[in-house]
């Protein structure tokens, strides 16, 4: 049963369980595939429409609203100030850290290729995103 | 079009449409044509029932933003149908919006079948029987993640959609782009 308001007292494991249910439903994967290190688009086979599906399901399950670009910074990809020749500029990396702090930026700092966004969009990033949203509620 | 009429429309919430299955539809004669070992079996293809729900839900999503968005079917999240629809039956599609934002929408759908063969002895008509659920995801094409650009004209809601809206008594005073 979806929550009607933000759920503020959840442990990390409880958040992971809810995310696991969401990803099993949205991506038709087995529940044991949904581990923190799994990447959404690589390991779990998510396509762009699935990101929207997951966004809606997170809103319904946790009771918070997710603004466009808050979970995944799609609008930045077409901005030359932030992306040039398929790589994030230093300004782009700084902007990412502000807009999507739930990602782990270690890989992008080593290799700022836009392609690497796929590798850091992990289940762990979703857990951290939900933790931030619930703490802010 | 794979729906005949919209019978209820509650903006950004719910749309109900019906489709009469008819022997006059050519595809019914091929689905399934007779073989040397069995007679013809005319049934509405289930893929077209999914399309009927997609049109119903797509209009609901499009109407929510006055048809300013190019609404395209992006994902069939669930499609379960338990009975076949044969000529003479009426399909009733009820689409409800589950989530809606700038980039797209998710909808839940209920498919009911009204089979005249199931009328009552006292002459009262057959009641709708739930035969399935079809849940869909729609994307607003101009807000796609790739940043690809498309013609300004809303080619999704074409003349046949406008005719359906008009014949269903839906106010289309606003111009569809």
């Amino acid at each position: 049963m979806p929550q009607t308001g933000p759920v503020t007292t959840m442990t990390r494991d409880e958040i992971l369980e809810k995310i696991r249910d969401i990803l099993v439903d949205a991506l038709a994967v087995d529940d044991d595939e949904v581990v923190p290190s799994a990447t959404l688009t690589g390991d779990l086979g998510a396509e762009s429409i699935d990101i929207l599906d997951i966004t809606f399901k997170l809103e319904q399950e946790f009771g918070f609203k997710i603004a466009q670009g808050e979970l995944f910074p799609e609008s930045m990809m077409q901005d030359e100030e932030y992306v040039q020749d398929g790589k994030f500029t230093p300004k782009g990396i700084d902007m990412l850290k502000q807009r999507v702090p739930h990602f782990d930026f270690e890989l992008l700092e080593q290799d700022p290729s836009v392609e690497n966004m796929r590798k850091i969009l992990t289940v762990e990033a979703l857990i951290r995103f939900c933790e931030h949203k619930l703490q802010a509620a | 079009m794979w729906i005949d009429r919209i019978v209820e429309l509650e903006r950004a919430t719910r749309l109900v449409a019906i489709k009469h299955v008819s022997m006059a539809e050519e595809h019914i004669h091929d689905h399934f044509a007779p073989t040397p070992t069995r007679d013809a079996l005319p049934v509405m293809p289930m893929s077209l029932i999914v399309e009927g729900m997609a049109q119903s839900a797509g209009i609901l999503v499009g109407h929510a933003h006055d048809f300013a968005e190019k609404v395209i079917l992006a994902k069939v999240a669930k499609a379960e149908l338990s009975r076949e629809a044969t000529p003479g039956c009426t399909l009733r599609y009820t689409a409800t919006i589950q989530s809606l934002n700038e980039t797209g929408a998710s909808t839940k759908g209920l498919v009911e079948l009204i089979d005249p063969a199931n009328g009552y002895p006292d002459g009262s008509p057959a009641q709708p029987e739930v035969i399935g659920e079809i849940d869909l995801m729609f994307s607003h094409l101009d807000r796609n993640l790739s940043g690809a650009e498309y013609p300004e004209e809303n080619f999704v809601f074409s003349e046949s959609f406008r005719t359906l809206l008009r014949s269903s008594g839906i106010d289309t005073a606003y111009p569809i782009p």
Side-chain angles (χ1 to χ4, degrees):
Chain A
M1 190 68 184
Q3 301 291 332
T4 53
V7 184
T8 53
T9 55
M10 292 185 69
T11 65
R12 178 188 157 84
D13 283 349
E14 287 170 336
I15 291 172
L16 173 59
E17 277 312 302
K18 282 184 180 288
I19 288 173
R20 181 172 282 134
D21 290 346
I22 288 170
L23 297 182
V24 166
D25 186 24
L27 305 176
V29 292
D30 292 333
D31 54 5
D32 60 2
E33 294 179 76
V34 184
V35 293
S37 61
T39 59
L40 267 63
T41 56
D43 297 329
L44 303 181
E47 297 182 12
S48 60
I49 190 64
D50 296 316
I51 303 299
L52 181 61
D53 193 6
I54 292 163
T55 300
F56 285 152
K57 285 178 162 59
L58 288 172
E59 287 183 332
Q60 287 157 14
E61 192 60 47
F62 289 98
F64 48 62
K65 294 298 291 180
I66 302 172
Q68 189 174 0
E70 191 180 357
L71 178 63
F72 191 79
E74 59 263 28
S75 61
M76 283 180 61
M77 305 302 177
Q78 283 85 46
D79 192 329
E80 286 189 3
E81 193 177 2
Y82 302 130
V83 175
Q84 289 175 8
D85 300 326
K87 291 181 183 292
F88 285 106
T89 62
K91 197 171 182 179
I93 297 281
D94 286 344
M95 185 55 76
L96 281 175
K97 287 179 177 175
Q98 285 180 41
R99 287 199 189 170
V100 285
H102 44 282
F103 285 116
D104 180 348
F105 290 101
E106 190 178 333
L107 178 63
L108 270 188
E109 283 171 336
Q110 292 167 8
D111 177 1
S113 298
V114 170
E115 274 293 297
N116 281 337
M117 282 300 288
R118 293 161 56 91
K119 297 178 183 167
I120 66 172
L121 180 57
T122 59
V123 173
E124 175 66 34
L126 285 187
I127 296 170
R128 284 209 292 261
F129 175 77
C130 292
E131 284 178 331
H132 291 164
K133 291 288 286 183
L134 293 171
Q135 283 164 9
Chain B
M1 293 299 300
W2 293 103
I3 51 181
D4 293 332
R5 182 170 287 194
I6 298 163
V7 294
E8 291 178 40
L9 175 57
E10 187 179 346
R11 189 182 180 84
T13 303
R14 179 174 184 268
L15 180 147
V16 182
I18 56 168
K19 151 80 183 156
H20 296 306
V21 181
S22 168
M23 195 67 96
E25 296 171 80
E26 282 188 23
H27 64 93
I28 287 269
H29 297 275
D30 297 324
H31 192 272
F32 296 93
T35 71
T37 56
R38 68 158 170 73
D39 294 334
L41 179 63
V43 296
M44 172 94 171
M46 289 188 173
S47 55
L48 294 179
I49 297 179
V50 174
E51 176 61 21
M53 179 60 80
Q55 293 184 355
S56 303
I59 291 170
L60 175 63
V61 174
H63 183 259
H65 290 130
D66 293 340
F67 299 103
E69 300 288 350
K70 300 180 184 80
V71 177
I72 57 159
L73 177 64
K75 180 174 174 177
V76 179
K78 175 182 180 182
E80 292 178 357
L81 291 162
S82 61
R83 247 200 81 177
E84 288 162 340
T86 51
C89 290
T90 299
L91 286 159
R92 182 180 154 95
Y93 300 111
T94 301
T96 52
I97 286 184
Q98 195 170 33
S99 296
L100 172 72
N101 70 13
E102 308 87 354
T103 50
S106 63
T107 61
K108 291 193 78 67
L110 193 71
V111 183
E112 294 167 294
L113 185 76
I114 303 164
D115 185 344
N118 292 340
Y120 293 95
D122 66 1
S124 55
Q127 295 301 302
E129 172 195 351
V130 175
I131 63 162
E133 295 178 16
I134 301 173
D135 300 340
L136 305 171
M137 291 282 310
F138 293 90
S139 178
H140 292 153
L141 197 56
D142 292 329
R143 298 166 193 268
N144 63 89
L145 297 185
S146 69
E149 293 185 9
Y150 295 89
E152 198 169 317
E153 176 196 347
N154 196 334
F155 50 82
V156 174
F157 294 106
S158 58
E159 188 56 42
S160 54
F161 275 92
R162 296 173 207 212
T163 302
L164 173 72
L165 289 165
R166 207 166 40 241
S167 64
S168 299
I170 311 271
D171 177 18
T172 53
Y174 42 81
I176 296 175

